[in-house]
Amino acid sequence: GVCAVVRIKIVQDLAITREAFTAKLEIENMDTFTMENISVEILITNDEQLVENEKFYISNASYGEDLINHDLPAQSSGSAEWIIVPFSEAAPTEQKNYQIGGRFSYSLA
């Protein structure tokens, strides 16, 4: 069965260089165990699937109330948000497309 549902939301479809936008991770822990040691790494890739995080400012995560010390209790929901700002190097002379995703890991207690 499904033990957790994870959604990533980008609060903006179009970003202009130096214009901040928010990335949000939502987690629903439907299991009877606590999700511990939750870790998220934001990855921003170009059209060739190369990681180009260095072209963006990515804030430290801001965690919702239910995510306590990187743990999410059983039968609860939690969230984390990041502010992302493209540097001028992200598209110095022409429009470029990027995809935002990441790596998500945890252990069950």
Side-chain angles (χ1 to χ4, degrees), residues 6 9 11 22 37 42 46 54 66 78 99 102 106-108:
V6 178
K9 292 184 177 181
V11 183
T22 302
N37 304 310
I42 299 293
N46 62 22
E54 71 279 358
D66 287 339
Q99 293 76 44
Y106 65 93
S107 55
L108 292 177

Side-chain angles (χ1 to χ4, degrees), residues 64-90:
E65 288 182 17
D66 287 339
L67 267 171
I68 303 164
N69 296 323
H70 299 272
D71 296 343
L72 183 63
Q75 305 297 314
S76 66
S77 300
S79 64
E81 290 187 0
W82 294 263
I83 301 298
I84 300 173
V85 182
F87 293 134
S88 58
E89 294 83 7

